[in-house]
């Protein structure tokens, strides 16, 4: 039987999970406490600043403000999530569920004014748990795809996973166009959507494919390639982690083509549960409109992948 956790409840935390969580909290504190350096005037510094400027994603059109739905039939929302996907989901140092998704769920419930619980499960069991009515909504970075749409209904996206180029800091460019990369060496993970995108759009670049992210990033650090291209969220944490040794930075702006990089991440509800879906959509818009979504994003993503 999987544990069900209420936001105010206490949970058990193994030594391993506690150490991981404490390391994560320390990393966030270090990043957010780092003093801002004085502006540099060199072209390289300006390019780095342009490419790493903090941006908060927003997928809500203020001109399409949703009407407040009838919330009288909602008395509780049982959220389903996973625990081992920091910073989106993890067990906090106090033993309670934590992460971007958990805090977003809490904020949604406060906006709707309804009691909520969070039930933690393995990611691969979430859809079955929702289908068998062991929960009401999945908030676990579940991607919106044709396959998942066939099984569940989704809210509007609340974040997307962009793709970005990364370069060594002395070679960052403010803009990345296909013509700028003619003959340049670009590393990418073999068989990925990022590789497919480069093959279709950056046809004059010299592609170098690698089996995994660790090998790909090492190739950039060694100077084996001029740029690497991949998932911006994982790259953001690598850039600012110890493994990168402060070597590299984003180059250019994010790429969000849904054909290659997906439609985004939404909250999943059972097919036909429009009451809950509309309530969550209304609450998501309200959180964004009031600036609470921005505050939450900046709390967990001090280095933005956007």
């Amino acid at each position: 039987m999987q544990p069900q956790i209420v936001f105010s409840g206490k949970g058990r935390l193994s030594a391993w999970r506690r150490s991981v969580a404490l390391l994560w909290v320390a990393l966030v504190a270090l990043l957010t406490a780092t003093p801002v350096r004085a502006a540099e005037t060199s072209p390289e510094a300006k390019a780095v600043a342009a490419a790493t400027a903090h941006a908060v994603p927003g997928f809500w059109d203020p001109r399409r403000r949703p009407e407040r739905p009838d919330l009288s039939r909602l008395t509780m929302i049982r959220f389903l999530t996973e625990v081992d996907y920091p910073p989106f989901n993890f067990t906090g140092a106090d033993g309670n569920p934590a992460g971007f998704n958990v805090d977003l769920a809490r904020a949604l419930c406060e906006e709707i004014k309804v009691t909520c619980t969070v039930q933690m499960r393995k990611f691969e069991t979430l859809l079955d748990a929702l289908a068998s009515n062991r929960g009401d909504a999945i908030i676990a970075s579940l991607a919106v795809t044709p396959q998942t749409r066939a099984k569940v209904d989704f809210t509007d996206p609340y974040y997307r996973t962009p793709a970005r180029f990364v370069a060594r800091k002395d070679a960052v460019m403010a803009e990345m166009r296909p013509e700028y990369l003619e003959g340049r060496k670009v590393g990418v993970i073999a068989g990925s959507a990022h590789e497919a995108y480069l093959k279709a759009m950056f046809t004059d670049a010299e592609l170098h494919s690698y089996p995994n992210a660790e090998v790909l990033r090492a190739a950039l650090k060694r100077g084996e390639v001029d740029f690497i291209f991949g998932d911006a969220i994982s790259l953001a944490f690598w850039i600012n982690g110890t493994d990168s040794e402060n070597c590299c930075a984003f180059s250019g702006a994010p790429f969000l083509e849904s054909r290659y990089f997906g439609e985004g991440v939404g909250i999943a509800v059972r097919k036909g549960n429009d009451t809950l879906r509309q309530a969550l959509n209304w609450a998501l818009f309200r959180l964004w409109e009031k600036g609470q979504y921005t505050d939450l994003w900046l709390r967990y993503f001090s280095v933005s992948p956007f």
Side-chain angles (χ1 to χ4, degrees), residues 5-281:
I5 300 175
V6 184
F7 284 126
S8 59
K10 296 292 183 180
R12 297 178 61 86
L13 187 66
S14 68
W16 180 83
R17 291 183 190 280
R18 185 179 298 276
S19 64
V20 170
L22 289 172
L23 284 172
W24 171 253
V25 171
L27 174 60
V28 172
L30 176 64
L31 291 175
T32 55
T34 301
V36 178
R37 297 178 60 187
E40 301 285 350
T41 56
S42 69
E44 292 83 2
K46 289 180 179 179
V48 171
T52 58
H54 210 304
V56 177
F59 308 105
W60 298 276
D61 186 346
R63 297 168 298 181
R64 299 178 59 190
R65 192 175 191 275
E67 294 184 5
R68 187 180 190 276
D70 180 8
L71 305 175
S72 60
R73 288 179 289 173
L74 284 178
T75 58
M76 175 180 284
I77 302 174
R78 299 170 298 161
F79 279 106
L80 300 167
T81 193
E82 64 169 328
V83 69
D84 292 319
Y85 189 48
F88 295 99
N89 300 87
F90 60 94
T91 304
D94 61 355
N96 286 324
F100 177 80
N101 285 326
V102 174
D103 282 352
L104 180 60
R106 180 183 291 113
L108 290 169
C109 293
E110 290 175 354
E111 188 64 39
I112 297 171
K113 301 189 186 319
V114 66
T115 301
C116 289
T117 62
V118 171
Q119 185 182 140
M120 295 182 171
R121 290 179 168 270
K122 293 182 178 179
F123 183 80
E124 60 269 20
T125 69
L126 292 174
L127 288 173
D128 287 341
L130 182 66
S132 59
N133 197 29
R134 284 172 280 177
D136 302 310
I138 297 172
I139 185 164
S141 297
L142 182 64
V144 181
T145 67
Q147 293 74 25
T148 53
R149 279 191 184 278
K151 298 178 180 180
V152 296
D153 288 339
F154 282 98
T155 64
D156 297 334
Y158 64 92
Y159 81 86
R160 295 176 69 180
T161 304
R164 292 191 74 170
F165 287 95
V166 174
R168 291 182 300 282
K169 284 190 171 180
D170 60 355
V172 165
M173 299 166 62
E175 190 175 7
M176 303 294 287
R177 293 184 179 182
E179 59 267 28
Y180 295 169
L181 298 190
E182 182 177 357
R184 306 292 293 274
K185 298 177 181 179
V186 181
V188 68
I189 295 177
S192 65
H194 304 96
E195 182 186 51
Y197 183 79
L198 291 178
K199 287 181 176 180
M201 303 296 179
F202 287 79
T203 55
D204 292 327
E206 182 182 315
L207 298 189
H208 292 251
S209 299
Y210 296 90
N212 56 55
E214 183 179 359
V215 178
L216 173 69
R217 296 164 185 173
L220 179 63
K221 287 174 63 177
R222 291 194 304 268
E224 190 175 302
V225 292
D226 301 306
F227 304 94
I228 60 175
F229 186 67
D231 164 39
I233 290 179
S234 61
L235 285 171
F237 290 111
W238 173 73
I239 286 170
N240 293 277
T242 57
D243 288 348
S244 70
E245 299 177 334
N246 201 32
C247 70
C248 307
F250 283 127
S251 190
F255 295 82
L256 290 163
E257 282 78 359
S258 59
R259 177 184 171 188
Y260 292 91
F261 311 126
E263 301 176 51
V265 167
I267 303 171
V269 301
R270 279 187 297 280
K271 281 284 188 180
N273 192 352
D274 287 342
T275 298
L276 180 55
R277 184 181 60 82
Q278 290 171 6
L280 292 171
N281 271 337

